[in-house]
């Protein structure tokens, strides 16, 4: 979602060549959006005044098919379609940026359309749930007017969509002030993917409200409905995984120690409620559905569309752990079940997951990383496990703990997670260490210069024998050239001495950088960064301006990778502005979490009392 | 996270590119905000019109 960025020169060129087309696209999109807005309001108006019936008939057809009220079935179906669209656009977008670098223009990147349509569709799905019901949709419903009530799940789904869409204008303001931050973990990017990620939960809230409003004997669906429920939790697993995507492509700009924590949190949050609500085997089933969906997207983006390859966590190890714990009597005590599951996932589950990571990811988890990884993952997963158990309690109609305790657990989990992330973001750049780099040409066809790299780091003991990575990353070289990415873990041939294991590109648009992450040390040395008039930067790096030579030698100090990997970023702003920007985005994110917490509490508060109306109470197991 | 000022002079182009991206942002964001605005307007108008007459509105009855 890093939008296009131009030099004055490029813009002038674009306005005479490609700029007209881009402007047409923008105008077209504006017109489409205005039409969609007018249509939405008009259809909503006609429907609320009972002047059209097709929307009722359509939603009732979906309702009969999925054994749920119309105001659940149609919005959830729309949501599934749009969220898959957004997921595909998101993964494709990230891969295009990794392979190609900056976009030539905001709409020149086809993936952006899928994201835009997906996020907007998500908002519309939520609004459809809000607008559809003529009668009060369940006891928890939110009053809009005297005779118009909206389901909590619909309100929250629309809210998540709005929050994600808000990322677009804020992203623009952000880039205007700070330049491009070419990382997924830019605050406004986190809003867009976080909004979509958390929206998966709102679809399940909506489904629960619909189930509560359905007579028990009409709830049972066939295998199709069961699959949709597994898909719901698979969606939560994928939605919570969006923060890991840089790791999935092997281009993380942050320390590797984040990854196990993120995996443990996502797995616990999705699979604990799945097991609680859908019974034995549900955690594994949800993980398998998630694998299917992520696998299909990865296959489409990589092998089929020719963009960089991405992997994804399987969550089968965590699912297995949760299933085992679910066989014990702990399952009858939800909070304890959640906490123990969190612990199990963050230990045994992560170990099982690490086997998969070691096999397919570029960077396996070194043993030296485990103490810090566990210190981050265990407390986070414990808190997330408690929150997940409360989500599961909402879905199974069990009374939540007292409000103060419930909110306290959510707040504590947010604080613990924030603390763990803050720790993960800490890194040092070695002040005196020097990397001497020798590049030897191995091929040069049509100026496509490929080299072998020999690296000698002094002092030789600067990097331990078990670092997270000592590698050379070449990226943004264009999809036509090896998908625009080469990640080479260097072979250690002696103390402080490393050698590349495959040809490294130092030509054209390629950006090639030596990367080191060893415990808290994280730094890089530019090898080849082409001149970039778009951001007013000359060629940089050891090989800059010397690519004619068969052998190139240069020695450099290490520097923070943000200077190299986020070359487009603009540091010409007061430091406080960055802090204020981050705080605004943080506040928006906390409002989102508060909204979801409110919704869960409201649904649970209005649950049909077990003792008073036992006979009316729907079965909790679908 | 610590970052270093690298002294690049990049202010001249930023305005131009942001203009483009903002155009992308508005069509995505504007309809959503407008729809929410309409719903809130309807809700507020209903409360203003009816709240006086319906102080004892029953929570469970939709109609």
């Amino acid at each position: 979602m890093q939008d296009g960025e131009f030099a004055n020169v490029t813009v002038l060129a674009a306005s005479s060549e490609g700029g007209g087309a881009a402007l047409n696209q923008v105008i077209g999109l504006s017109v489409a959006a205005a039409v969609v807005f007018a249509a939405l309001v008009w259809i909503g108006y006609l429907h609320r005044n009972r002047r059209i019936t097709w929307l009722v008939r359509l939603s009732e057809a979906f309702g009969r098919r999925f054994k749920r009220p119309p105001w659940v079935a149609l919005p959830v179906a729309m949501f599934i379609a749009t969220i898959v669209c957004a997921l595909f656009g998101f993964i494709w977008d990230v891969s295009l940026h990794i392979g190609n670098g900056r976009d030539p223009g905001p709409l020149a990147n086809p993936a952006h359309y899928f994201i835009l349509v997906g996020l907007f569709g998500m908002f519309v799905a939520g609004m459809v749930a809000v607008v559809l019901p003529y009668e009060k949709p369940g006891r928890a419903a939110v009053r809009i007017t005297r005779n118009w009530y909206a389901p909590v799940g619909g309100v929250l789904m629309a809210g998540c969509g709005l929050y994600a869409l808000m990322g677009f204008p804020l992203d623009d303001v952000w880039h205007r002030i700070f330049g491009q931050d070419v990382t997924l973990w830019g605050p406004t990017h986190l809003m867009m993917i976080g909004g979509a990620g958390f929206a998966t939960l709102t679809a399940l809230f909506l489904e629960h409200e619909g189930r509560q409003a359905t007579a028990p004997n009409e709830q049972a669906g066939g295998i199709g409905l069961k699959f949709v429920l597994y898909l719901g939790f698979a969606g939560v697993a994928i939605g919570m995984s969006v923060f890991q995507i840089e790791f999935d492509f092997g281009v993380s700009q942050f320390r590797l120690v984040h990854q196990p924590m993120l995996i443990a949190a996502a797995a616990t949050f999705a699979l604990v409620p799945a097991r609680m609500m859908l019974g034995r085997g549900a955690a594994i089933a949800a993980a398998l559905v998630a694998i299917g969906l992520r696998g299909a997207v990865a296959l489409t983006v990589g092998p089929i569309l020719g963009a960089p390859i991405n992997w994804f966590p399987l969550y089968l190890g965590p699912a297995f752990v949760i299933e085992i714990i679910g066989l014990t009597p702990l399952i009858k005590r939800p909070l304890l079940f959640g906490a123990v599951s969190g612990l199990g996932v963050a230990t045994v589950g992560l170990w099982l997951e690490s086997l998969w990571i070691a096999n397919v990811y570029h960077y396996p988890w070194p043993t030296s990383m485990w103490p810090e990884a566990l210190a981050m993952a265990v407390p986070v997963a414990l808190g997330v496990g408690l929150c997940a158990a409360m989500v599961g309690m909402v879905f199974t109609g069990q009374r939540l703990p007292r409000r103060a305790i419930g909110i306290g657990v959510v707040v504590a989990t947010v604080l613990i997670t924030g603390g763990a992330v803050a720790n993960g973001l800490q890194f040092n750049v070695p002040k005196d260490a020097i990397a001497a780099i020798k590049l030897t040409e191995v091929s040069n066809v049509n100026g496509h210069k490929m080299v072998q790299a020999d690296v000698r780091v002094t002092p030789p003991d600067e990097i331990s024998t078990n670092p997270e990575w000592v590698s050379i990353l070449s990226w943004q070289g264009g999809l036509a050239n090896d998908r625009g990415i080469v990640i080479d873990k260097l072979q250690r041939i002696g103390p402080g001495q490393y050698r590349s294991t495959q040809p490294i590109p130092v030509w054209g648009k390629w950006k090639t950088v030596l990367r080191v992450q060893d415990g808290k040390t994280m730094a890089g040395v530019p090898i080849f960064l082409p001149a970039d008039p778009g951001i007013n930067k000359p060629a940089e790096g050891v090989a800059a301006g010397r690519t004619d030579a068969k052998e190139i030698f240069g020695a450099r100090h290490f520097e923070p990778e943000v200077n190299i990997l986020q070359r487009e970023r603009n540091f010409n702003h007061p430091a406080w502005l960055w802090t204020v920007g981050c705080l605004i985005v943080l506040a928006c994110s906390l409002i989102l979490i508060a909204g979801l917490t409110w919704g869960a509490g409201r649904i649970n508060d209005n649950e049909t009392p077990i003792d008073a109306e036992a006979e009316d109470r729907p079965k909790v197991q679908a | 996270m610590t970052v270093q000022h690298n002294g690049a002079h990049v202010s001249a182009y930023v305005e131009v590119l942001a203009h483009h991206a903002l155009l992308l942002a508005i069509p995505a964001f504007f309809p959503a905000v407008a729809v929410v605005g309409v719903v809130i307007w309807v809700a507020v108008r209903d409360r203003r019109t009816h709240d006086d007459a319906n102080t004892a509105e029953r929570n469970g009855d939709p109609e």
Side-chain angles (χ1 to χ4, degrees), chain A residues 53-65 70 73-74 78 128 132:
Chain A
T53 56
W54 62 264
L55 188 57
V56 174
R57 280 183 279 123
L58 178 71
S59 60
E60 281 177 351
F62 273 89
R64 280 191 297 277
R65 175 75 185 78
L74 177 61
M78 289 174 67
V128 167
L132 265 181

Side-chain angles (χ1 to χ4, degrees), chain A residues 449-585:
Chain A
K449 185 182 176 77
M450 309 294 279
V451 297
Q452 177 189 281
D454 286 279
V455 177
R456 183 185 289 260
V457 177
T458 45
D461 59 351
E462 182 65 43
I463 301 170
S464 74
T465 52
N466 201 8
E468 276 79 359
W469 63 66
V470 177
S471 64
I472 290 179
L473 165 69
S474 304
W475 66 344
Q476 304 180 20
L479 292 195
N481 312 307
D482 295 325
R483 303 175 191 276
I485 184 160
V486 176
I487 297 170
D488 187 28
K489 278 196 81 172
L490 301 188
Q491 179 194 1
R492 187 176 186 271
I493 51 177
Q497 291 181 59
Y498 302 87
R499 178 170 294 161
S500 60
T501 66
Q502 56 181 308
I504 307 289
V506 287
W507 61 274
K509 281 176 59 201
W510 283 99
K511 295 177 182 170
T512 298
V513 51
L514 170 69
R515 310 187 68 195
V516 173
Q517 205 241 290
D518 180 24
K520 289 228 160 152
T521 297
M522 189 167 183
V525 173
I527 291 176
F528 178 80
L529 303 174
D532 194 339
I535 52 171
N536 207 13
K537 295 237 171 165
E540 293 171 273
V542 174
R546 298 153 67 186
T547 44
D548 289 344
K550 292 277 183 205
E551 208 164 76
I552 304 165
F553 181 83
R556 298 287 181 101
H557 281 288
F558 283 92
E559 55 182 299
E561 285 193 316
V562 67
N563 293 353
I564 312 164
L565 300 180
Q566 299 181 35
R567 221 180 162 203
E568 288 84 348
R569 213 160 102 179
N570 155 17
F571 296 102
N572 287 341
H573 54 76
W576 61 265
L577 204 58
W578 176 262
T579 312
V580 168
C582 287
L583 285 177
I584 290 172
V585 173

Side-chain angles (χ1 to χ4, degrees), chain B residues 8-33:
Chain B
H9 302 289
V10 288
S11 56
Y13 69 92
V14 173
E15 199 176 350
V16 176
L17 71 97
H19 184 62
H20 257 255
L22 193 63
L23 281 176
L24 171 66
I26 287 172
F29 185 56
F30 173 74
V33 173

